[in-house]
Amino acid sequence: MRTTALLLGLLAASASLIPACATSDGQDEPGPEDGFDDTVGDGKADTSGVSVHTVHRFADKNLFTEGAALDTTEHAFYVGSLTHGNVTKVGADGRESIFYAGTGEADRYTLGMQVDAARRLLWVCTTKDSLGRVWLFDLASGQRKADVDLTTVQPKASCNDVLIDTDGSVLVSDRENRDIYRVDAQGHAKSWAHDDKLHGALVSLNSMVFTPDHSAVLTATYLPPTLVRVSTSNPRDVVKVKLDGALFMDGFNVLNGPDDLLMHGDELIVAFGSSIKSIVPDDASWKRATVSSERSIGGVTALVEDGARVYGINGQSVRFLLHLPPSEFQIFTVR
């Protein structure tokens, strides 16, 4: 994320983005209560957030958490940071500690991450100057086992999130380009999918999930917000998912795209800053689906689950982008 250039581009394009999205495919029009930023303190998110069950309040008031993962074996949360480039662990006892202190480089971000509970590994996306790497950690020792440079595959490769496959490899989304990469368990990277539909006009891919039958990967371009399906058997088969129902954007919050995706049973849950979208497919193909929307406490940048519960992480990336002081960073229950 090149913060200054990205911010200027988003602000310049915001006027044209709203009408185009607001009238597409017969979806709901943005309501007059929809605002620009994404927290309760701005008056733009759900004030009923006081009733949300908070699991953890972060002691670091400048953390700006981004990606997150949950180790369901130890019920420990891991989060990245836009300010520190480190990995913070929140144990089952609520104790907050530094799992990995980072490299010490300025402007290094730690972004999407996922725990491989069976193999006791943590995969982490990280960028500096928009160029992407993937780190692999041993959960028991905290040792970094691999540091994969994605620019060996694509010279301008970025990195935003990881998705663990059944064989222990990961798919890696690119925030800047029209690519998804695959990194195997030995740390070897290669191109997996490349398509214009994976490229956003302003910001490209964020999170990824497998459909329940593993026949496809669902991902989303951040701006403009678009849900995309990629076949796992043929990654050249890439289509935009046709969406009905509620609007697939965060009202007039033009900086808030789909920041994280989570498949919870047969329901896709998408974090949109100040709202949470629930998406149900018409059939198992996931080529057409219906969206419903609810307000959230705002600033949600990541979603994780333990099978029964879904948790949100309030990372407030928009406030980071705009250089605004954050409200409290927390982990809270979504479902």
Side-chain angles (χ1 to χ4, degrees):
M1 185 190 300
R2 291 182 290 269
T3 303
T4 302
L6 177 59
L7 175 58
L8 291 174
L10 295 181
L11 292 176
S14 62
S16 61
L17 273 177
I18 295 172
C21 295
T23 59
S24 65
D25 209 21
Q27 296 178 354
D28 293 347
E29 299 288 331
E33 76 283 357
D34 290 327
F36 184 72
D37 207 356
D38 61 357
T39 64
V40 172
D42 302 311
K44 310 302 191 298
D46 186 2
T47 54
S48 69
V50 293
S51 64
V52 171
H53 174 62
T54 298
V55 176
H56 180 76
R57 303 177 192 275
F58 285 95
D60 187 336
K61 305 305 181 185
N62 195 41
L63 187 58
F64 283 100
T65 60
E66 179 53 25
L70 176 59
D71 178 7
T72 55
T73 301
E74 297 186 354
H75 203 78
F77 294 88
Y78 295 85
V79 299
S81 174
L82 296 176
T83 47
H84 307 320
N86 63 3
V87 179
T88 297
K89 177 181 179 180
V90 179
D93 59 359
R95 188 171 69 89
E96 188 176 319
S97 61
I98 302 300
F99 175 78
Y100 179 70
T103 61
E105 299 168 282
D107 298 325
R108 176 164 293 284
Y109 307 138
T110 37
L111 305 168
M113 58 185 68
Q114 192 170 4
V115 166
D116 186 336
R119 298 175 180 86
R120 309 307 299 150
L121 298 171
L122 174 68
W123 293 87
V124 178
C125 259
T126 177
T127 64
K128 177 175 170 56
D129 300 325
S130 296
L131 300 179
R133 310 183 79 90
V134 178
W135 293 338
L136 178 61
F137 296 94
D138 180 275
L139 281 175
S141 66
Q143 178 184 1
R144 191 172 70 179
K145 297 168 58 70
D147 177 10
V148 182
D149 182 0
L150 295 173
T151 64
T152 60
V153 181
Q154 208 267 60
K156 295 184 178 180
S158 189
C159 178
N160 195 70
D161 204 3
V162 292
L163 176 63
I164 298 173
D165 209 341
T166 52
D167 62 356
S169 66
V170 294
L171 297 177
V172 184
S173 60
D174 190 323
R175 187 182 179 90
E176 306 289 336
N177 304 290
R178 45 181 62 80
D179 298 280
I180 299 175
Y181 313 104
R182 182 181 287 278
V183 178
D184 66 22
Q186 289 71 48
H188 302 128
K190 64 180 182 180
S191 176
W192 184 71
H194 175 84
D195 193 277
D196 285 346
K197 289 182 279 298
L198 301 175
H199 187 56
L202 294 175
V203 186
S204 293
L205 300 182
N206 242 306
S207 179
M208 302 171 292
V209 295
F210 287 111
T211 56
D213 64 3
H214 210 269
S215 66
V217 169
L218 298 175
T219 185
T221 59
Y222 190 87
L223 285 177
T226 306
L227 186 64
V228 182
R229 178 194 184 278
V230 184
S231 168
T232 53
S233 61
N234 177 17
R236 293 185 297 276
D237 178 10
V238 182
V239 297
K240 292 183 179 180
V241 179
K242 295 180 180 179
L243 297 175
D244 297 311
L247 191 70
F248 193 62
M249 67 177 290
D250 203 21
F252 283 122
N253 295 343
V254 294
L255 296 186
N256 293 341
D259 212 328
D260 203 8
L261 281 64
L262 175 71
M263 189 63 70
H264 184 59
D266 294 328
E267 173 192 25
L268 177 64
I269 303 176
V270 184
F272 259 91
S274 63
S275 62
I276 301 291
K277 311 292 183 182
S278 299
I279 304 178
V280 178
D282 286 7
D283 57 44
S285 72
W286 273 93
K287 292 184 177 180
R288 191 177 189 101
T290 301
V291 182
S292 59
S293 182
E294 62 186 81
R295 305 298 279 174
S296 78
I297 66 170
V300 184
T301 56
L303 299 166
V304 296
E305 68 165 347
D306 60 9
R309 287 186 176 272
V310 176
Y311 303 92
I313 289 81
N314 179 312
Q316 305 168 60
S317 59
V318 171
R319 297 188 73 80
F320 173 81
L321 183 67
L322 297 174
H323 303 289
L324 296 173
S327 57
E328 183 177 55
F329 300 112
Q330 58 184 298
I331 303 170
F332 63 96
T333 55
V334 174
R335 294 279 191 279

